Amino acid sequence: MAKYLLLKHYRGAPAAVNDVPMDRWTPEEISAHVQYMNDFAARLEETGEFVDSKALAPGGMFVRYDGEGRPPITDGPFAETKDLIAGWMVIDVDSYERAIELAGELSAAPGAGGKPIHEWLEVRPFLTHSPTVTECSLK
């Protein structure tokens, strides 16, 4: 089994087919979307493929160390993840192909008008070991 991270983006991915921002959905559309996500996770729990999932709150910031005795620096000249990542799901599946299959199904969650979003999801495998110096330099 291999673990994969399925990332849902607010921005930064290609536009979805049903590209109406969630802040313009009705309460019923939001409820239907959340129910789809919960049902999807429950089905994967039954097959042993679900690890965890969370939606992210819009607040947040970048923080970095700024030296001994100095307060951390916040924000910066970068796009904030709160502007990019909406949530995530971790799955544990037998193959990369299965991860792609599930991501495709998850991308069909309903959105505005009850129609499938067909959003782009980022699929990222977890490392199975600590990278070596050679692997890190192969960018």
Side-chain angles (χ1 to χ4, degrees):
M1 301 282 278
K3 289 187 174 76
Y4 290 86
L5 176 65
L6 309 180
L7 282 173
K8 294 175 66 71
H9 292 269
Y10 284 122
R11 289 186 277 283
V17 172
N18 184 358
D19 198 24
V20 177
M22 189 179 249
D23 62 0
R24 294 186 19 217
W25 295 2
T26 66
E28 294 79 17
E29 291 166 341
I30 292 170
S31 292
H33 180 81
V34 170
Q35 187 63 54
Y36 181 97
M37 302 295 290
N38 290 339
D39 291 346
F40 185 84
R43 190 166 50 81
L44 294 184
E45 281 180 332
E46 291 174 9
T47 64
E49 296 173 307
F50 179 80
V51 176
D52 198 9
S53 69
K54 298 287 183 233
L56 298 175
M61 68 178 66
F62 278 106
V63 177
R64 76 171 172 89
Y65 177 76
D66 195 40
E68 190 65 38
R70 297 172 70 176
I73 294 177
T74 60
D75 283 327
F78 312 106
E80 296 189 46
T81 55
K82 68 183 179 189
D83 293 334
L84 302 175
I85 301 172
W88 51 267
M89 180 177 285
V90 177
I91 57 174
D92 193 2
V93 294
D94 288 327
S95 66
Y96 174 75
E97 291 76 17
R98 178 67 174 151
I100 297 300
E101 176 186 345
L102 291 174
E105 189 176 330
L106 187 60
S107 109
K115 296 178 182 166
I117 299 171
H118 297 292
E119 66 185 323
W120 290 90
L121 298 178
E122 184 177 351
V123 179
R124 303 276 305 268
F126 280 71
L127 289 175
T128 58
H129 63 281
S130 296
T132 65
V133 173
T134 304
E135 291 171 323
C136 289
S137 64
L138 292 178
K139 289 186 174 185

